[in-house]
Amino acid sequence: MLKTKDISHTYKGQQPIRFNDIHCQPDTHWLVLGNSGCGKTTLLHMIAGLLKPTTGNVEIAGTNISALPSNQLDHFRGQKIGVVFQKPHFVRSLNVEANLMLAQYLAGIKKDKKRIESILSSLNLGHKLKSMPNELSQGEQQRVAIARAVINGPKLILADEPTSALDDENSREVINLLETQASAQQATLLIVTHDQRLKDHFPNRIQL
Amino acid sequence: MNLLALSWKNITAKPLSTLMSLILFALGVGMVSLLLLLNKQLEDKFEKNLAKINLVVGAKGSPMQLILSSIYHIDFPTGNISLKEANFVKKNPLVRKTIPLAMGDSYKFFRIIGTNHDYPTLYETELSEGKLWEKDFEVTLGAKVAKDLGLKLGDQFVSAHGFGEAIMQHEQHKFVVAGILKPSKTVIDQLILTNIASIWKSHDHGANDDHNHEGHDHEEGHDHDHDHAHDKKDTPQAEDLDKEITSLLVFFRNPIAAIQLPRLINDKTDMQAAAPAFEISRLNEMMGVGQRALRALALVIILVSGFSVFISLFNSLRERRYELAIMRVMGGSRGKLFALVILEGLIIAVLGFVLGILLSHGAMEVLAYYMQESYQYEFTGKTFMKEEWWLLVGSLLVGLVAAVLPAIQASMTDISKTLSGN
C-alpha cells in the first residue's frame, strides 16, 4: 500500500535527512515515533506529496507519486490521501458542512450531503453541521479535521501530531476515532508523533 | 460548493474592506459613465438642433450668444436687426433660403417665437392636432409646451415680456392655440410658434403707453415702433421695412458662401454673421477642458480602487495562507487557487461596475430634472450606451490586473513550509 524507497530531503544549506524505507500493508495502523526536529513532519509531507523528496520515491497504491506532475499529484492526493494536522485549519468563511463540501469539490468527487452528515454523526458532530469552525472547541475542531480527512474515502490516512495539543481524554478519543474511521474504509493509517501516551496503543511502530 | 461560491463567501466574510473597494470602484465607474451620458446627450441635442443651418445673422455682440439664443433658445438674444438689412442678406445670390425669427416674449418660461412655416418644416415636425398658425395671435405649440402646461386647442393665454418671471404681461392681446406639434426631440418641442406680426402687435401698446422695461431682461428695439400701423400679413412685407426681427437663419446655395457671406455681413452691415458649426466646436473645446479634467480624475479614482482591491486581496492572503495550503492538501491545484483569487477581484469589479452604473444613471435622472428646469432641455438617465460595455471591459481589466499578483502568490503557496511553520 505504502512504500518508500531511499527517500531523503535536503533543506537549503543543511545536511540531508535520510529515512529508512517504510512498507505498510492496507488496513494496518502505524505509529512513527521520534523526538522534535528529527524530521517527522518532513517524512509525513513527503509521503503526502506536499514536499518532493530530494532522492528516492514514494509509492502509494501502486502509483509512484514522486514522479507525478503537480496537477496530477494534487488530484491524486485529494482522492487517495487524507491528512490530519497538529493544528486544524479550515476555510474560515465557510461553515463545517461547506468545508467538507469543499473537500469533495476540490478532490473532484460528486457533492454528497448524506455522506457528510453520516461522517459527522459518526464523529458525534451531527449538530455542528452549520457551525463556523471558530465556534468549535479544540477537540471538536480536531474531529472535524478527521471528518475532512476521511470524507473522500482515502486509501491512506496521515496524521501529524494529532494529539499533542489535546488533554488525555480528547487525545484518546481522537486516536480511537482515527482508528475506527481508518478501519471502516480499510485504509492504511500512519500517525507521526512524539506523544509517548500513544506508544502502547500501537503494535506497529517505526522509530526515527 | 464551487470556486465562484467560495470566492463570494470570502468576499462577504470581510464586508468592510470589500465595501471600501466597492465604493471606490463605483465612484470611478459612475463618474466616467455620467460624463459619457452628459456628453453624449448634449452632443446629440446640439447636433440635432443644428438642422443644417449654415449661418445665423443677428445684432452685433457675442457670436456664441447669437447661436445659443437663435438655434438652441437657451441664451438671451444679442439684440434686433432691421428688416431692411435682413432683406439685404435674403436677396444675396449665394443665399438659398432664410428663416426669420422674432423673439422677446414668453408664456410661463416657454419662449414665443415669431417665424414662418419654414421653421417647423426645418425640424421635420408633424402636427399632432389642429393646424399651423395662420392669422395673427394664432399659435402652434411644441409637444412639451402643450404637455407641461396642459394647453388644448382653442385655449387662450396672455404672453409675458421677457423670458423669465411674468413681470409684465401684454394683456391687450390674447394668443389662441391653433395647433399642437408631435414630439420631435428637437428644440421646437419647447417653443410656442406664431407669426412675426403677432410679436410686433403684442408690443404695440400705443404711443401713450409709458411702461418702462428697466429691470427685466429683454433685447433692445422691440418696443420702438409703437405708432406704426400694419396690416395682417404672415411674413414681413415691404411696408414693414422699418420693423425689426431678432435674427435670420441662413442656408447657403453653395459652399463659396461660407467664405464670402460672413465677411460681407460683418464688414458691410450693422449685423453680425455667426457660423453655428464653428461656435459649437468652440463651445465643446471650452467645456472640453473641464471634461478632460473630470475624466482624468475619474480614471485616477478607478486606478485607486484597483489598488485598494489589490491591497485588500494581498492582506487577506496573509491571513488565509493556512487555508490556501489546506485547500492544496485537499486536492486543489495551483490553477484553482489562482482562479479563486482572480474571481474575487473580478466579482468586486463587476459589483463595483453595476453599482457605478446605477449611481450615474440615478444621478443623471436627478440632473435631468434640474437641467430641464433651467434649460428647458430634456435629458434622461434611462438610456444605455454601448460605451458602457467598454466601461465594463475596462472594469474587468482593472479587477483582473489588481488580482493577478495576489493570485500568483496564492498559487505559489509552499504547502509544506506553511503547514510545518504552525
Side-chain angles (χ1 to χ4, degrees):
Chain A
M1 179 63 220
L2 166 67
K3 276 188 211 162
T4 70
K5 196 166 185 302
D6 296 333
I7 54 171
S8 74
H9 191 267
T10 314
Y11 288 103
K12 221 174 237 167
Q14 287 178 22
Q15 290 294 313
I17 316 170
R18 294 176 203 288
F19 298 93
N20 294 329
D21 290 356
I22 297 172
H23 191 173
C24 307
Q25 296 300 324
D27 205 7
T28 54
H29 300 173
W30 294 77
L31 197 66
V32 179
L33 276 163
N35 295 322
S36 302
C38 70
K40 295 190 301 290
T41 298
T42 303
L43 175 64
L44 182 121
H45 283 187
M46 284 194 291
I47 294 174
L50 305 178
L51 190 67
K52 232 179 171 57
T54 314
T55 64
N57 56 55
V58 177
E59 192 186 302
I60 296 167
T63 306
N64 177 10
I65 67 162
S66 308
L68 286 179
S70 168
N71 268 5
Q72 288 178 32
L73 177 58
D74 290 329
H75 190 69
F76 182 88
R77 187 193 310 119
Q79 294 201 333
K80 300 283 165 50
I81 309 173
V83 192
V84 177
F85 295 95
Q86 176 177 2
K87 202 165 176 285
H89 295 289
F90 300 99
V91 176
R92 276 182 288 177
S93 55
L94 302 179
N95 64 20
V96 169
E97 184 187 30
N99 261 289
L100 294 180
M101 269 197 250
L102 183 64
Q104 292 176 331
Y105 165 73
L106 288 174
I109 284 170
K110 244 187 103 196
K111 185 172 91 176
D112 186 350
K113 280 194 171 192
K114 287 232 167 65
R115 166 98 179 135
I116 292 172
E117 279 164 25
S118 74
I119 289 269
L120 281 178
S121 57
S122 74
L123 292 164
N124 279 329
L125 285 166
H127 57 296
K128 298 290 185 188
L129 198 64
K130 302 288 176 191
S131 302
M132 297 307 280
N134 58 5
E135 296 165 358
L136 303 176
S137 72
Q138 280 250 317
E140 284 169 337
Q141 287 190 12
Q142 198 56 286
R143 277 186 277 152
V144 176
I146 293 171
R148 185 175 59 193
V150 302
I151 187 88
N152 296 329
K155 291 286 151 225
L156 175 65
I157 298 170
L158 302 170
D160 186 9
E161 305 273 16
T163 56
S164 62
L166 303 176
D167 57 32
D168 286 356
E169 195 183 327
N170 269 313
S171 157
R172 210 174 305 128
E173 195 185 347
V174 160
I175 292 303
N176 280 338
L177 288 171
L178 273 172
E179 290 208 282
T180 333
Q181 294 293 339
S183 301
Q185 7 215 2
Q186 283 141 32
T188 305
L189 173 66
L190 190 87
I191 300 174
V192 167
T193 190
H194 73 276
D195 192 344
Q196 297 296 328
R197 292 179 291 187
L198 309 180
K199 209 163 88 183
D200 306 326
H201 206 82
F202 289 86
N204 298 323
R205 286 195 294 265
I206 300 165
Q207 185 73 42
L208 288 188
Chain B
M1 185 54 50
N2 56 41
L3 281 189
L4 193 63
L6 179 59
S7 46
W8 175 252
K9 286 277 185 188
N10 283 334
I11 285 171
T12 48
K14 39 176 178 122
L16 275 184
S17 82
T18 302
L19 195 67
M20 176 76 187
S21 305
L22 274 186
I23 287 174
L24 279 171
F25 225 110
L27 271 182
V29 169
M31 254 174 99
V32 173
S33 143
L34 185 62
L35 285 174
L36 286 174
L37 271 174
L38 262 175
N39 211 12
K40 172 111 176 174
Q41 295 193 29
L42 272 175
E43 260 172 27
D44 277 0
K45 297 269 167 200
F46 276 133
E47 193 56 40
K48 213 163 184 182
N49 289 327
L50 207 51
K52 301 197 178 94
I53 299 166
N54 294 124
L55 204 65
V56 179
V57 176
K60 285 216 185 296
S62 150
M64 190 172 297
Q65 192 183 344
L66 180 63
I67 299 292
L68 289 177
S69 63
S70 290
I71 297 183
Y72 303 106
H73 300 276
I74 37 184
D75 205 349
F76 291 101
T78 48
N80 278 355
I81 55 176
S82 75
L83 260 188
K84 205 163 114 194
E85 284 200 300
N87 277 340
F88 168 75
V89 176
K90 191 177 172 185
K91 283 173 189 149
N92 189 297
L94 291 169
V95 170
R96 177 169 56 88
K97 189 173 77 174
T98 62
I99 301 175
L101 298 177
M103 32 187 141
D105 288 351
S106 65
Y107 175 59
K108 295 199 173 158
F109 296 102
F110 289 106
R111 295 182 180 201
I112 301 174
I113 309 294
T115 183
N116 60 31
H117 290 179
D118 287 345
Y119 192 60
T121 311
L122 175 65
Y123 290 109
E124 294 167 357
T125 49
E126 288 168 41
L127 277 163
S128 142
E129 46 185 321
K131 59 184 174 83
L132 290 178
W133 67 97
E134 272 157 20
K135 294 203 272 301
D136 287 355
F137 294 103
E138 278 187 343
V139 296
T140 303
L141 305 179
K144 187 171 158 40
V145 181
K147 188 173 150 244
D148 284 12
L149 301 182
L151 289 173
K152 291 180 289 297
L153 290 187
D155 283 356
Q156 299 194 340
F157 62 87
V158 177
S159 69
H161 203 85
F163 295 139
E165 214 68 67
I167 296 170
M168 197 200 67
Q169 297 190 327
H170 300 293
E171 282 173 14
Q172 289 92 334
H173 300 286
K174 283 206 163 105
F175 286 96
V176 183
V177 178
I180 294 169
L181 296 169
K182 281 186 185 162
S184 65
K185 302 238 160 160
T186 65
V187 68
I188 218 164
D189 289 351
Q190 54 240 8
L191 297 177
I192 300 171
L193 304 176
T194 184
N195 66 13
I196 291 180
S198 304
I199 300 288
W200 289 336
K201 281 185 185 170
S202 68
H203 290 97
D204 202 359
H205 307 292
N208 300 333
D209 190 345
D210 58 353
H211 67 252
N212 78 64
H213 285 163
E214 283 169 42
H216 62 100
D217 285 312
H218 79 98
E219 70 279 26
E220 305 146 359
H222 238 18
D223 43 351
H224 294 171
D225 305 297
H226 291 286
D227 319 274
H228 196 91
H230 30 221
D231 42 11
K232 292 174 181 176
K233 290 269 165 55
D234 210 33
T235 47
Q237 297 297 307
E239 53 266 42
D240 295 321
L241 283 183
D242 55 339
K243 289 276 185 191
E244 293 184 321
I245 60 171
T246 306
S247 57
L248 203 60
L249 307 179
V250 178
F251 302 84
F252 296 153
R253 193 176 295 281
N254 68 46
I256 302 170
I259 305 159
Q260 294 189 354
L261 210 54
R263 193 184 299 162
L264 182 73
I265 292 169
N266 287 331
D267 293 351
K268 297 273 158 64
T269 70
D270 286 335
M271 307 180 290
Q272 70 159 329
F278 177 74
E279 296 303 325
I280 292 314
S281 75
R282 214 160 64 90
L283 186 67
N284 279 340
E285 237 167 70
M286 288 194 286
M287 296 197 303
V289 178
Q291 279 215 355
R292 276 194 293 275
L294 280 177
R295 197 170 302 175
L297 182 65
L299 289 180
V300 167
I301 294 180
I302 291 186
L303 284 185
V304 169
S305 68
F307 199 63
S308 122
V309 172
F310 168 76
I311 289 176
S312 100
L313 282 178
F314 224 92
N315 274 338
S316 81
L317 285 192
R318 279 163 46 147
E319 295 161 14
R320 281 158 55 190
R321 61 187 189 281
Y322 293 117
E323 59 182 70
L324 288 172
I326 283 288
M327 284 173 64
R328 290 290 308 281
V329 174
M330 289 192 280
S333 61
R334 290 182 192 278
K336 279 221 167 103
L337 295 201
F338 183 85
L340 176 73
V341 178
I342 291 285
L343 269 178
E344 289 178 25
L346 289 183
I347 288 176
I348 290 184
V350 169
L351 285 182
F353 170 80
V354 170
L355 218 63
I357 291 294
L358 288 178
L359 206 69
S360 70
H361 287 258
M364 188 68 211
E365 276 291 284
V366 176
L367 264 182
Y369 177 77
Y370 285 108
M371 286 170 77
Q372 224 154 303
E373 282 207 327
S374 44
Y375 293 110
Q376 303 287 343
Y377 264 125
E378 286 212 49
F379 292 92
T380 175
K382 293 183 202 112
T383 168
F384 289 87
M385 306 166 293
K386 67 171 185 296
E387 284 89 340
E388 285 175 324
W389 288 112
W390 286 111
L391 204 51
L392 175 62
V393 172
S395 304
L396 288 176
L397 269 179
V398 170
L400 190 72
V401 168
V404 156
L405 275 182
I408 289 176
Q409 194 186 336
S411 70
M412 299 306 273
T413 305
D414 185 331
I415 330 170
S416 173
K417 210 163 155 188
T418 306
L419 289 171
S420 56
N422 293 315

